[in-house]
Amino acid sequence: MSGRTTDPEALADAMCRGVRRALARAITLVESTRDDDRANAERLLERLATKGANALRLGITGVPGVGKSTFINALALLAIGQGRRVAVLTVDPSSRISGGSILGDKTRMADLARHPAAFVRPSPAGDTLGGVHRRTRDAIVLLEAAGFDLVIVETVGVGQSETAVAEMTDLFALLILPGGGDELQGIKRGIVELADFILVNKADGDTAALAGRTVADYRNALRYLRGREAGHAAPVLACSALTGEGIASAWEEIRAHHARLLDSGALGARRAEQARSHLWSELGETLLRRFRRHPRVRAQLADVERRVSAGELPPTLAVRRLLALFTDPTGREEPFE
């Protein structure tokens, strides 16, 4: 394989042989927005679509400062010790400009990043909502094809659309800080309802007792919330990523719950629904990108935005006329004048 090849056949072969540089290049390829790269990326994904797909996909979210990276480092090293191959996708909202947070994540995951059974990959979130890169789903496919059987997706904190991570992983864990019981720590109710696990991190030293009270607060609160699965309340556990206390228990809960989903057929149903969601998400984003690039739309778009902002043109009428520019092959679209 040449040093910088983007040939999908060569990349796929090298990935399946365990060449880590090929995996890194493959993820870069699927994240690219260049038209020629997109064609190669689609060929690569088509070739690898039936390989792997047996990994445990785990999403991790939580407010900044809760210790997500330190927790992932501890959990992943424990899983590696049990024979797992672990890949971590971290999504950084600032990396397109400075790369600052990525350096912090890699510093906190230093032991993991150096381990031969691990692969840590940071990606910029860009303009994608939900705390994940638009191509995170595709990156998961590549990682599974490369033989990783635990794929962890770390998202960029908790926001309005953070629940996107639940639409691409098998299990979703929410990390919270001790003392977060009051008003559910300001975290949106929908995220709590989507969590398969709630983990109170930093349960050590002077905050150990407070962490215990937070566990009790959340267990009580969850009795009044609808969970992700009917009749199954999300376990709430205390742990310390710093000392390792409670990490083994959290991992056993994760493994056991994943096995239950697999045995019951719920995991297959969940992944099928995720695939359908991905289809419509990709369709919407692709259509919007092509719409913006359309010559007739591009020629009118700035003026239309100005007129809508000034109140001269109703948004609904503007949308109809812009769509006419995009869809009418004869060019006899309704005028804006």
Side-chain angles (χ1 to χ4, degrees):
M1 185 180 71
S2 63
R4 294 186 179 277
T5 186
T6 57
D7 176 68
E9 301 294 328
L11 281 176
D13 290 343
M15 282 174 52
C16 293
R17 295 197 312 269
V19 179
R20 297 170 69 86
R21 286 182 299 174
L23 175 57
R25 290 180 193 131
I27 295 177
T28 298
L29 178 64
V30 300
E31 289 180 349
S32 174
T33 58
R34 291 178 40 169
D35 290 339
D36 55 343
D37 284 344
R38 289 307 315 147
N40 282 330
E42 288 163 7
R43 287 170 55 201
L44 176 65
L45 289 166
E46 184 177 17
R47 168 162 182 160
L48 297 174
T50 58
K51 297 183 180 293
N54 293 318
L56 192 167
R57 305 172 184 176
L58 176 63
I60 302 287
T61 193
V63 296
V66 74
K68 294 188 293 292
S69 297
T70 307
F71 173 82
I72 290 170
N73 187 75
L75 184 76
L77 289 174
L78 176 64
I80 288 172
Q82 297 177 358
R84 295 265 186 170
R85 295 188 68 218
V86 182
V88 180
L89 297 172
T90 69
V91 184
D92 175 22
S94 63
S95 59
R96 288 187 304 163
I97 301 173
S98 66
S101 308
I102 287 178
L103 178 60
D105 282 342
K106 297 195 89 171
T107 299
R108 290 186 289 273
M109 294 189 211
D111 295 339
L112 183 63
R114 290 193 298 265
H115 202 288
F119 181 87
V120 179
R121 170 75 181 207
S123 298
D127 297 327
T128 305
L129 292 175
V132 290
H133 189 278
R134 179 184 173 188
R135 299 297 173 190
T136 299
R137 294 176 179 88
D138 293 337
I140 292 173
V141 172
L142 298 180
L143 292 167
E144 290 182 335
F148 292 94
D149 54 6
L150 172 59
V151 178
I152 300 174
V153 181
E154 178 193 4
T155 69
V156 294
V158 175
Q160 183 175 0
S161 301
E162 189 69 8
T163 54
V165 70
E167 296 180 358
M168 65 181 69
T169 54
D170 301 330
L171 299 173
F172 179 42
L174 172 64
L175 267 64
I176 61 173
L177 292 165
D182 295 338
E183 298 181 11
L184 291 184
Q185 200 172 280
I187 293 174
K188 290 187 177 291
R189 173 171 167 167
I191 296 175
V192 175
E193 290 177 337
L194 280 175
D196 293 292
F197 306 92
I198 296 178
L199 306 173
V200 183
N201 194 25
K202 302 190 178 182
D204 50 58
D206 294 339
T207 62
L210 181 58
R213 292 196 295 272
T214 304
V215 168
D217 288 342
Y218 268 81
R219 285 176 178 168
N220 288 332
L222 288 176
R223 292 189 303 173
Y224 304 102
L225 296 179
R226 182 182 60 188
R228 190 173 186 183
E229 295 178 78
H232 177 79
V236 185
L237 307 171
C239 64
S240 169
L242 184 63
T243 67
E245 184 71 25
I247 300 298
S249 296
W251 173 234
E252 287 307 311
E253 283 277 359
I254 290 168
R255 288 180 58 194
H257 189 44
H258 190 258
R260 286 195 298 271
L261 289 177
L262 185 61
D263 292 342
S264 68
L267 182 60
R270 186 174 289 189
R271 287 198 177 185
E273 180 57 36
Q274 290 171 352
R276 285 191 291 271
S277 175
H278 188 193
L279 168 67
W280 286 104
S281 173
E282 184 67 21
L283 180 62
E285 291 178 7
T286 300
L287 281 173
L288 182 58
R289 185 175 68 253
R290 292 186 179 182
F291 174 82
R292 288 180 174 276
R293 291 179 178 179
H294 192 280
R296 294 201 300 272
V297 172
R298 194 167 59 239
Q300 295 277 358
L301 194 53
D303 184 60
V304 171
E305 288 181 335
R306 179 192 62 78
R307 293 178 63 189
V308 168
S309 298
E312 300 172 3
L313 186 66
T316 52
L317 179 58
V319 167
R320 181 163 61 84
R321 291 179 177 177
L322 284 171
L323 285 174
L325 290 171
F326 181 63
T327 60
D328 185 356
T330 67
R332 296 193 301 269
E333 62 279 347
E334 188 176 352
F336 277 92
E337 299 303 327

